Amino acid sequence: MAIMVGRETKVIVQGITGHQGQFHTKSMKEFGTKVVGGVTPGKGGSAVEGVPVFETVHEAVEQTGANSSCIFVPARFAKDAVFEAVNAGLGLVVVITEHIPFLDAMEFVNYAKLRETTVIGPNCPGVTSPEFGKIGIMPSKMFAKGDVGVISRSGTLTYEIVNALTEAGIGQTTCVGIGGDPIIGSNFVEVLSRFEKDRKTKRLVMVGEIGGTAEEEAAEYIREHVSKPVFAYIAGRSAPQGKRMGHAGAIISRGRGTAESKIKALEAAGVVVAQLPTDIPGLMLGK
Amino acid sequence: MAIMVGRETKVIVQGITGHQGQFHTKSMKEFGTKVVGGVTPGKGGSAVEGVPVFETVHEAVEQTGANSSCIFVPARFAKDAVFEAVNAGLGLVVVITEHIPFLDAMEFVNYAKLRETTVIGPNCPGVTSPEFGKIGIMPSKMFAKGDVGVISRSGTLTYEIVNALTEAGIGQTTCVGIGGDPIIGSNFVEVLSRFEKDRKTKRLVMVGEIGGTAEEEAAEYIREHVSKPVFAYIAGRSAPQGKRMGHAGAIISRGRGTAESKIKALEAAGVVVAQLPTDIPGLMLGK
Amino acid sequence: MAARPVDEVRNLKLFEYRAKQLMGKYGIPVPRGAVARTPGEILSVDYPVAVKAQVLVGGRGKAGGIKFADNLEDAKSRAGEILAMNIKGERVKSVLLEERLEVARELYLSYVIDRSSRSVLLMASGDGGVEIENVPQERIAMVPVPPFGYSPFISKILKTAFGLNDDQSKQVDALARNLYGMFISEDCELAEINPLVLTAGGQIIAADSKVTINDDALFRHPEFSEDMDDLTPLEQRAKQEDIAFVQLDGNIGVIANGAGLTMATLDILTINGGRAGVFLDLGGTDDPKKVTRALALMKDAGPGVIFLNIFGGITKCDTVAMGVREAVQTIGIDIPIVARIRGVNDDIAREILKEIGIESSTDLIEAARKAVKAAVK
Amino acid sequence: MAARPVDEVRNLKLFEYRAKQLMGKYGIPVPRGAVARTPGEILSVDYPVAVKAQVLVGGRGKAGGIKFADNLEDAKSRAGEILAMNIKGERVKSVLLEERLEVARELYLSYVIDRSSRSVLLMASGDGGVEIENVPQERIAMVPVPPFGYSPFISKILKTAFGLNDDQSKQVDALARNLYGMFISEDCELAEINPLVLTAGGQIIAADSKVTINDDALFRHPEFSEDMDDLTPLEQRAKQEDIAFVQLDGNIGVIANGAGLTMATLDILTINGGRAGVFLDLGGTDDPKKVTRALALMKDAGPGVIFLNIFGGITKCDTVAMGVREAVQTIGIDIPIVARIRGVNDDIAREILKEIGIESSTDLIEAARKAVKAAVK
């Protein structure tokens, strides 16, 4: 078992004919993912990496039975692409595209929630279940099958940590890059709750960053609802505070948002917090 | 146990100072419901039936810890009233008001779903759990505690059937009047799924009507997900078809929507369908 | 709760010419046309012209309600013929004279309030025309419009569903967007274009239009008050009273409270061999005067017997009984009344009715049988 | 993925006078005022007047950046003083001369993109003024605006939160509605009025305004291109390259890919006794030229050593190495480079770097220690 990506996952790639779309379609297929179709308006009828291209998501779903999408379309068209995927009834939509305006992301995240579609991202590396496949852009080589669930706000740092886990002989059920934007489709709490329910997942790794209060909220959730051991790293202990403008941010965060606040909250919830990302495998192995 | 209304239920009445609001606040209290506050803009600081009146729902929630609302405000203000209740984080909002424009109902139903608030109605008699209380306008006298869950699209007909059940010695866990409007917050399927999970509820009574395809969808759901015996009555076998305009309705319903279609679908799902509403107690008692 | 007339939702149906005026206002291309209530009103139109009966029932074409004319004289006589018609029980009061389109293809496009998806549902098919409901499901695109508004992706779906080129697709996109705007702004329950015509010249035009407005939203649209005149005088009275009123072909007049109970009452009468001639749903009321006016309405509808079936809740039984007493004493109801009374204050109600000579029962089946027997007499 | 500069989200901060121009455009009452870049630009204003430094950092008032004047001469000399100031490292380039308000009460109102509720969050308090963040939570109303738009109930909440009479409430309702309209139409990330002033005359006026625009939405708002000038030349270059660039006070120049890895790199350096002087996040790229330009930027920032920490994924290691080679060979990088390379194509990358004399490690800690050592020299 794994979360989000499983045996039944059939993926379409929106923006499949673009440079990134093509490259990662190939990579996803090589990883063993069932990529069943692509969508690029105006290119319907063609094929990319042996995958048929359709004019609309609805058509692609009808013809291929797809249930998931990986979105590479440019930021200014991304909102409509997600709307289309959600409207077509897909269960999982992974939005790789970065630089999507907040209000656009907010709208598609709301729409997805209304229609019970899970959105990962935007501005994320996607989801990889080593046993079943990957939706997104994570480098394929670094994964190994195992019992650890990884959730991360950061892209490259995830690779760093997953790589270290694999080298230490610790495999993964699923790695979820939730994305670093302020408005994202699935946050720590939502992904934690899935891992908690997944029987194959025995331990969790959580990679956070300074800014926002998502890690503090995750800590609260872990304390009340997560029975599995959680190991975390929070990036940005030594990063400078940004020049904040206005009072609104301070009112919302009320002193939370710093690395100290996050680490304190997580430790209070029983989470083992690593000083450096590369310390995580050692901590998991009890070294 | 019961569904929707339980030991923890604390109700505010929106539109409490109106004629209906006052009358039913009294009736709900007499039934044992914890009515903790009311809201009428401009009347904050006063009291109705010993219940404090507030200017806003947010204030009422802050002061009383209310988690449910019963809405009696006039149709043209109802959308905003539901929005306010949902925004304040209430878990259950029962909308008694009738004649709410469809588009208004659609909007508040969507907003409620986004914020995970359960809406019952609009244009409904509300929810009654004989053991814990009632939110709405169902006549108090007819209920008895027991193990039957009742779901109904019709108001008065529900009273007829519940009364017959009680007279036959069959009590109820909860009776939910979901409302007869085309756009409602909770449909048969959603309420059925709650009754299925409720341990105290052993048997179900479902009261449908001609029009729409909600009963057919319920039948499908029952076949796949409901383990408890279901008894149903569908009103309108002998009612004339309305003069339909345009083709859209026919495209959507595709022959469904008639009493025959609904009865056939329910019977195929193992539901016992009564010829007359008053037959239901006899069927339940195996007469 | 008020009842909906049987399987219909509450709506105000607009005549074709009114629907097209409305669409025109929202920038939707419609054929040039003019409406006439008498042949004399027809002055000059572009010929050839289609003369179309303005009725709200379906199947007008098959019933001969659409004819064609090549000149003024011709148009007047065709209009005269149609204005004398009665289509499926509906008298033709006006005709629409409209330019004839050179039809290349007939498409289908509609928006409707959809119960299941709780959204405005867009439906589109390349196989437009009168028999659209028989087109296989998979050839009709059904798209619940996101609650945040019409979205660009819909245009791609329409292009594919209709099989259009880029220019046609642009026209359809603008039309579909504007129609959605109209649907929301005017509180429609249905906005249907069938056929949506692609002309030989490559234009997209709404050749026939059906629009219904959500009754409950009419307070936001006072301009539709003039469109109410398709109701019979009794229906109009009922509407003013917020009483659901439907005329049928039996001879028992049913008065009940609540849509479900009203329909259940019809079922019970039918099973017991009776037939309702009219039914009338009081809805929820605490006003005896409304009950009195309902009885007056029922008297004018003239059934052989009145079956009063009340389960008191919001509408208390004694309120109803007081209204009945007032009707009997002031209006004089010369039709026998069979009453079945249950629920809140039913004991008081039974006393009141007894005073004016009406025996009432608590048992539904027994009362129904009595009403059927009385109707047969 | 591109990085956000540390704990800030991507945004364009507007100067107060620009924020007020924008608010004025949306019908929000703001004080009469004029902006001046030199005392000579001040011609005539209504006195008494407030002379306010236009800077983007907070705490301007305490730093002496707001002064008052009663006549032209006075205004010019106050302006001259302020225009010579440097507030928390930010040079004052312009002043806003504004009518002085007779303040009866100071309120607080803002909209902000809120991560937790994934909505536009309205915050309002009757306790406005500079120390609003210290007001107890329960005295600040926080309302996530429904995604369907500003709703009437919000006006009731504002009335209660602010403690207003009906007339004031109407003013505030219009203002809050217009501010929300501005927030959405202009893709704001923050729109804050603090204080929102209730004047002695009963008027509601936005006395101080802070607005930030979401950078990623600037393609919809080309008119803000003139508001970019608060960046240093290096920051501006970085922005054009889509490189997150932050200047700090150590002497190690960090180049990494991805926000998380960049921050983790800072953490590792700090733990090992080093301090970054600048960091630069390449983000995801497949263009060696971007890497070359990043190195040029780093060269101009002038750290003592460059620590290149790459974990290849989207950004392949060989792409980075090629960019570095190009920079070394054409621009000439005279600062020592310590490299740590892992991930996609790291073997090729190490070969390329070796050719130009850069030894690279795969071990993060080891490389970090080496960089710290090099910086100390």
Side-chain angles (χ1 to χ4, degrees):
Chain A
M1 278 263 290
I3 67 167
M4 298 186 190
V5 178
R7 200 160 275 126
E8 307 301 320
T9 299
K10 286 181 178 181
V11 183
I12 56 164
V13 175
Q14 289 177 257
I16 193 170
T17 55
H19 180 69
Q20 278 217 323
Q22 286 196 22
F23 178 83
H24 292 289
T25 296
K26 185 160 180 272
S27 172
M28 284 190 260
K29 285 191 73 177
E30 285 168 357
F31 196 78
T33 320
K34 283 176 209 140
V35 181
V36 296
V39 176
T40 300
K43 302 270 175 77
S46 65
V48 167
E49 298 291 335
V51 164
V53 179
F54 300 92
E55 284 291 310
T56 68
V57 176
H58 291 69
E59 217 185 333
V61 169
E62 229 165 67
Q63 301 287 320
T64 67
N67 51 24
S68 309
S69 175
C70 190
I71 293 186
F72 289 101
V73 307
R76 62 183 69 192
F77 306 113
K79 180 177 111 176
D80 195 53
V82 181
F83 265 63
E84 186 180 352
V86 171
N87 191 273
L90 297 179
L92 175 66
V93 176
V94 175
V95 188
I96 306 301
T97 311
E98 60 179 343
H99 291 313
I100 295 177
F102 300 149
L103 292 176
D104 290 8
M106 207 175 271
E107 233 180 78
F108 70 62
V109 162
N110 279 327
Y111 185 45
K113 183 160 185 198
L114 263 180
R115 305 257 308 172
E116 289 161 28
T117 298
T118 299
V119 168
I120 300 294
N123 187 17
C124 82
V127 182
T128 305
S129 295
E131 194 175 348
F132 303 106
K134 69 169 187 175
I135 306 180
I137 61 173
M138 291 188 191
S140 300
K141 276 204 307 191
M142 63 191 184
F143 295 97
K145 290 175 206 171
D147 65 1
V148 174
V150 179
I151 321 172
S152 173
R153 256 174 87 179
S154 157
T156 333
L157 192 52
T158 314
Y159 312 159
E160 188 81 47
I161 289 173
V162 170
N163 197 68
L165 288 174
T166 297
E167 285 189 351
I170 303 169
Q172 309 88 38
T173 50
T174 302
C175 300
V176 185
I178 59 175
D181 275 10
I183 304 296
I184 50 175
S186 301
N187 59 25
F188 283 122
V189 169
E190 287 150 345
V191 181
L192 282 167
S193 82
R194 295 214 193 197
F195 273 130
E196 175 65 17
K197 282 182 214 132
D198 179 52
R199 280 191 216 146
K200 267 279 183 79
T201 303
K202 307 290 185 201
R203 297 172 288 176
L204 298 169
V205 171
M206 182 180 143
V207 184
E209 288 175 12
I210 53 174
T213 57
E215 289 80 2
E216 285 88 339
E217 288 155 23
E220 203 166 309
Y221 183 83
I222 289 168
R223 206 182 45 218
E224 287 173 24
H225 300 106
V226 176
S227 63
K228 303 175 183 181
V230 183
F231 300 82
Y233 170 68
I234 302 296
R237 265 183 219 246
S238 50
Q241 295 275 320
K243 303 180 206 168
R244 188 171 263 148
M245 194 191 186
H247 305 266
I251 297 177
I252 295 178
S253 62
R254 298 247 156 210
R256 296 170 302 169
T258 63
E260 291 64 41
S261 149
K262 291 173 191 301
I263 291 167
K264 203 179 143 194
L266 287 166
E267 286 181 341
V271 174
V272 178
V273 183
Q275 260 215 327
L276 290 178
T278 41
D279 292 347
I280 285 188
L283 291 168
M284 295 185 86
L285 295 170
K287 283 181 193 167
Chain B
M1 280 263 290
I3 67 167
M4 297 185 191
V5 178
R7 200 160 276 127
E8 307 302 320
T9 298
K10 287 181 177 181
V11 183
I12 56 164
V13 176
Q14 288 176 258
I16 194 171
T17 55
H19 180 69
Q20 278 217 323
Q22 287 196 23
F23 179 83
H24 292 290
T25 296
K26 185 160 182 271
S27 172
M28 284 189 261
K29 285 190 73 176
E30 285 169 357
F31 196 79
T33 319
K34 283 176 209 143
V35 182
V36 296
V39 176
T40 300
K43 303 269 173 76
S46 64
V48 167
E49 298 289 336
V51 163
V53 179
F54 299 93
E55 284 291 309
T56 67
V57 176
H58 291 69
E59 217 185 333
V61 169
E62 230 165 66
Q63 301 289 320
T64 68
N67 51 23
S68 309
S69 174
C70 190
I71 294 186
F72 289 102
V73 306
R76 61 183 72 192
F77 305 113
K79 181 177 110 177
D80 196 53
V82 180
F83 264 62
E84 187 180 352
V86 171
N87 192 273
L90 297 178
L92 175 66
V93 176
V94 174
V95 188
I96 306 301
T97 312
E98 60 180 343
H99 291 313
I100 295 177
F102 300 148
L103 292 177
D104 289 8
M106 208 175 270
E107 234 181 77
F108 71 62
V109 163
N110 279 328
Y111 185 44
K113 182 160 185 197
L114 263 181
R115 306 257 309 171
E116 288 160 27
T117 298
T118 299
V119 168
I120 300 293
N123 187 17
C124 81
V127 182
T128 305
S129 294
E131 194 174 348
F132 302 106
K134 69 170 186 176
I135 305 180
I137 60 174
M138 290 189 191
S140 300
K141 275 204 309 190
M142 64 190 181
F143 295 97
K145 291 176 207 170
D147 64 2
V148 174
V150 179
I151 320 170
S152 173
R153 258 174 85 179
S154 158
T156 333
L157 192 52
T158 312
Y159 312 159
E160 187 82 49
I161 288 174
V162 170
N163 196 67
L165 288 173
T166 297
E167 285 188 350
I170 304 169
Q172 308 88 37
T173 50
T174 302
C175 299
V176 185
I178 59 175
D181 274 10
I183 304 296
I184 50 176
S186 301
N187 59 26
F188 282 122
V189 169
E190 286 149 347
V191 181
L192 281 167
S193 82
R194 296 215 193 196
F195 273 130
E196 174 66 16
K197 281 181 216 133
D198 179 52
R199 279 190 219 146
K200 267 279 182 77
T201 303
K202 306 290 185 201
R203 296 172 289 176
L204 298 170
V205 171
M206 181 181 144
V207 184
E209 289 175 11
I210 54 173
T213 57
E215 290 81 1
E216 284 89 340
E217 287 155 25
E220 204 165 312
Y221 183 82
I222 289 167
R223 205 181 46 216
E224 288 172 25
H225 301 105
V226 177
S227 62
K228 302 173 183 182
V230 183
F231 300 81
Y233 170 68
I234 303 297
R237 265 185 223 244
S238 49
Q241 294 277 318
K243 301 181 204 166
R244 187 171 263 147
M245 196 191 185
H247 304 268
I251 297 176
I252 296 178
S253 62
R254 298 248 155 211
R256 297 171 302 170
T258 62
E260 290 67 40
S261 149
K262 291 172 191 303
I263 292 167
K264 202 179 142 193
L266 288 166
E267 287 182 340
V271 174
V272 178
V273 183
Q275 260 216 326
L276 290 178
T278 42
D279 292 347
I280 284 187
L283 291 168
M284 294 185 88
L285 295 170
K287 282 180 194 164
Chain C
M1 290 166 294
R4 287 130 290 117
V6 201
D7 65 336
E8 291 267 289
V9 290
R10 301 180 292 262
N11 60 54
L12 168 67
K13 297 169 186 168
L14 298 186
F15 286 108
E16 180 191 7
Y17 76 94
R18 285 284 291 150
K20 283 181 170 166
Q21 281 170 2
L22 202 59
M23 289 189 179
K25 200 178 123 190
Y26 284 85
I28 294 158
V30 293
R32 277 162 300 162
V35 72
R37 273 166 194 80
T38 64
E41 280 180 31
I42 303 170
L43 299 174
S44 95
V45 276
D46 292 328
Y47 299 99
V49 76
V51 185
K52 302 162 86 177
Q54 296 300 285
V55 287
L56 297 171
V57 292
R60 154 185 81 169
K62 280 188 186 161
I66 301 177
K67 296 180 192 292
F68 302 99
D70 290 323
N71 54 55
L72 180 60
E73 207 179 331
D74 205 10
K76 286 191 176 187
S77 61
R78 293 296 86 75
E81 289 161 26
I82 294 176
L83 284 164
M85 287 174 74
N86 202 307
I87 299 178
K88 296 186 180 174
E90 185 177 344
R91 199 167 68 73
V92 181
K93 290 180 193 155
S94 61
V95 291
L96 174 62
L97 294 103
E98 223 175 45
E99 61 168 325
R100 286 193 71 173
L101 303 173
E102 276 192 81
V103 177
R105 288 185 57 208
E106 292 191 324
L107 313 169
Y108 175 90
L109 179 69
S110 71
Y111 291 100
V112 65
I113 298 282
D114 179 47
R115 295 162 185 253
S116 295
S117 65
R118 289 158 176 150
S119 68
V120 177
L121 187 68
L122 173 147
M123 293 192 279
S125 175
D127 303 330
V130 284
E131 301 296 343
I132 178 73
E133 55 269 49
N134 298 330
V135 168
Q137 192 97 35
E138 63 272 18
R139 284 169 63 190
I140 303 176
M142 297 173 94
V143 179
V145 181
F148 307 97
Y150 185 92
S151 302
F153 76 85
I154 296 172
S155 131
K156 294 197 304 165
I157 293 176
L158 291 176
K159 191 181 180 199
T160 313
F162 289 159
L164 302 177
N165 66 31
D166 285 352
D167 169 63
Q168 294 158 355
S169 170
K170 256 184 209 157
Q171 291 183 57
V172 163
D173 185 40
L175 185 150
R177 193 181 288 272
N178 290 339
L179 189 62
Y180 182 74
M182 180 191 99
F183 192 96
I184 300 297
S185 303
E186 302 289 344
D187 275 296
C188 295
E189 190 255 334
L190 167 74
E192 182 176 69
I193 302 177
N194 187 28
L196 175 67
V197 160
L198 171 62
T199 67
Q203 299 305 108
I204 300 282
I205 298 182
D208 194 3
S209 307
K210 291 192 173 59
V211 171
T212 66
I213 308 293
N214 179 199
D215 263 20
D216 289 338
L218 286 177
F219 69 87
R220 297 198 274 239
H221 309 282
E223 67 280 10
F224 288 121
S225 58
E226 62 192 78
D227 293 289
M228 303 281 193
D229 67 357
D230 64 304
L231 300 175
T232 66
L234 284 180
E235 283 171 342
Q236 221 142 19
R237 266 172 65 191
K239 191 157 198 163
Q240 276 155 17
E241 301 285 345
D242 189 22
I243 292 168
F245 174 92
V246 177
Q247 274 172 304
L248 306 167
D249 46 10
N251 64 345
I252 304 174
V254 172
I255 300 179
N257 60 325
L261 186 62
T262 305
M263 284 194 277
T265 309
L266 298 191
D267 293 346
I268 291 165
L269 290 173
T270 305
I271 283 174
N272 286 286
R275 287 179 79 190
V278 59
F279 74 75
L280 196 155
D281 173 5
L282 293 174
T285 183
D286 50 10
D287 181 7
K289 291 205 185 83
K290 184 176 173 184
V291 179
T292 305
R293 286 192 292 264
L295 264 103
L297 202 62
M298 184 55 92
K299 181 188 177 187
D300 295 343
V305 58
I306 296 173
F307 181 33
L308 182 68
N309 183 16
I310 301 297
F311 198 101
I314 295 293
T315 306
K316 296 182 200 75
C317 295
D318 54 335
T319 306
V320 175
M322 284 187 283
V324 172
R325 182 175 58 193
E326 178 71 13
V328 167
Q329 292 176 346
T330 60
I331 305 168
I333 305 293
D334 45 5
I335 307 164
I337 298 177
V338 176
R340 183 271 184 160
I341 307 282
R342 279 303 291 269
V344 177
N345 297 346
D346 54 0
D347 43 351
I348 309 175
R350 266 191 294 273
E351 277 307 307
I352 294 172
L353 291 179
K354 206 170 183 181
E355 283 171 29
I356 52 168
I358 299 172
E359 285 299 327
S360 59
S361 164
T362 58
D363 188 287
L364 181 51
I365 310 293
E366 181 192 308
R369 286 190 183 137
K370 203 167 145 192
V372 172
K373 208 180 270 177
V376 176
K377 276 179 205 163
Chain D
M1 290 164 294
R4 283 130 294 115
V6 202
D7 66 334
E8 291 267 287
V9 290
R10 300 180 293 262
N11 60 52
L12 168 67
K13 297 169 187 168
L14 299 186
F15 286 108
E16 180 191 7
Y17 76 95
R18 285 284 292 150
K20 283 180 169 165
Q21 281 170 2
L22 202 60
M23 288 188 179
K25 200 179 123 190
Y26 284 85
I28 293 158
V30 292
R32 277 163 299 161
V35 72
R37 273 164 196 82
T38 64
E41 280 179 30
I42 303 170
L43 300 173
S44 95
V45 278
D46 292 329
Y47 299 99
V49 76
V51 186
K52 302 163 87 177
Q54 296 300 287
V55 287
L56 297 171
V57 294
R60 155 186 79 171
K62 281 188 187 161
I66 301 177
K67 298 180 191 290
F68 302 98
D70 290 323
N71 54 55
L72 181 60
E73 207 179 332
D74 206 10
K76 285 189 178 190
S77 61
R78 294 296 85 76
E81 290 161 26
I82 293 176
L83 283 165
M85 288 175 71
N86 201 307
I87 299 178
K88 296 187 181 174
E90 186 178 342
R91 198 166 71 71
V92 181
K93 291 180 193 156
S94 60
V95 291
L96 174 62
L97 294 104
E98 225 176 42
E99 60 167 325
R100 287 193 69 173
L101 302 173
E102 276 192 81
V103 177
R105 288 186 56 208
E106 292 192 323
L107 314 169
Y108 176 90
L109 179 68
S110 71
Y111 292 99
V112 66
I113 298 280
D114 179 46
R115 294 161 185 254
S116 294
S117 65
R118 289 162 176 146
S119 69
V120 177
L121 187 69
L122 174 146
M123 292 192 281
S125 175
D127 302 332
V130 285
E131 301 296 344
I132 178 73
E133 56 268 48
N134 298 328
V135 168
Q137 191 97 35
E138 63 271 19
R139 284 170 62 191
I140 302 176
M142 296 172 94
V143 180
V145 182
F148 307 99
Y150 186 93
S151 303
F153 76 84
I154 295 172
S155 130
K156 293 197 305 166
I157 293 176
L158 291 176
K159 191 182 181 198
T160 312
F162 289 158
L164 302 178
N165 65 31
D166 284 351
D167 169 63
Q168 294 159 353
S169 170
K170 255 184 209 157
Q171 291 183 59
V172 163
D173 185 41
L175 186 150
R177 193 180 286 272
N178 290 338
L179 189 62
Y180 181 75
M182 181 191 99
F183 192 95
I184 299 297
S185 302
E186 303 288 345
D187 275 295
C188 295
E189 191 255 335
L190 167 74
E192 182 176 70
I193 301 176
N194 187 28
L196 175 67
V197 159
L198 171 62
T199 66
Q203 299 304 107
I204 300 282
I205 297 182
D208 193 3
S209 308
K210 291 193 173 58
V211 171
T212 65
I213 308 292
N214 179 198
D215 263 19
D216 289 338
L218 286 177
F219 69 87
R220 297 198 275 238
H221 309 282
E223 67 281 10
F224 288 121
S225 58
E226 62 192 78
D227 293 289
M228 303 282 193
D229 67 357
D230 66 304
L231 300 176
T232 66
L234 283 180
E235 283 172 340
Q236 220 142 20
R237 266 171 65 191
K239 193 156 196 165
Q240 277 156 16
E241 301 285 343
D242 188 24
I243 291 169
F245 175 93
V246 177
Q247 273 170 304
L248 307 167
D249 45 10
N251 64 344
I252 303 174
V254 172
I255 301 179
N257 59 324
L261 186 62
T262 304
M263 285 194 279
T265 308
L266 298 190
D267 293 347
I268 291 166
L269 290 173
T270 306
I271 285 174
N272 287 286
R275 287 182 78 190
V278 59
F279 74 76
L280 195 154
D281 174 5
L282 292 174
T285 182
D286 50 10
D287 182 6
K289 292 203 185 85
K290 185 177 174 184
V291 179
T292 305
R293 285 192 294 264
L295 264 105
L297 202 62
M298 184 55 90
K299 181 188 176 184
D300 295 343
V305 58
I306 297 174
F307 181 32
L308 182 68
N309 183 15
I310 301 298
F311 198 101
I314 293 294
T315 306
K316 296 183 200 75
C317 296
D318 54 334
T319 306
V320 175
M322 284 188 283
V324 172
R325 182 174 58 191
E326 178 72 13
V328 168
Q329 293 177 346
T330 60
I331 306 167
I333 305 294
D334 46 5
I335 308 163
I337 299 177
V338 175
R340 183 271 185 159
I341 308 281
R342 279 304 291 268
V344 177
N345 297 346
D346 54 0
D347 42 352
I348 308 174
R350 266 190 294 273
E351 277 306 308
I352 294 171
L353 292 179
K354 208 169 182 182
E355 283 170 29
I356 53 169
I358 301 171
E359 284 300 323
S360 57
S361 164
T362 57
D363 188 286
L364 183 50
I365 310 293
E366 182 192 307
R369 287 190 183 139
K370 204 168 144 190
V372 172
K373 208 179 275 179
V376 175
K377 279 178 203 164

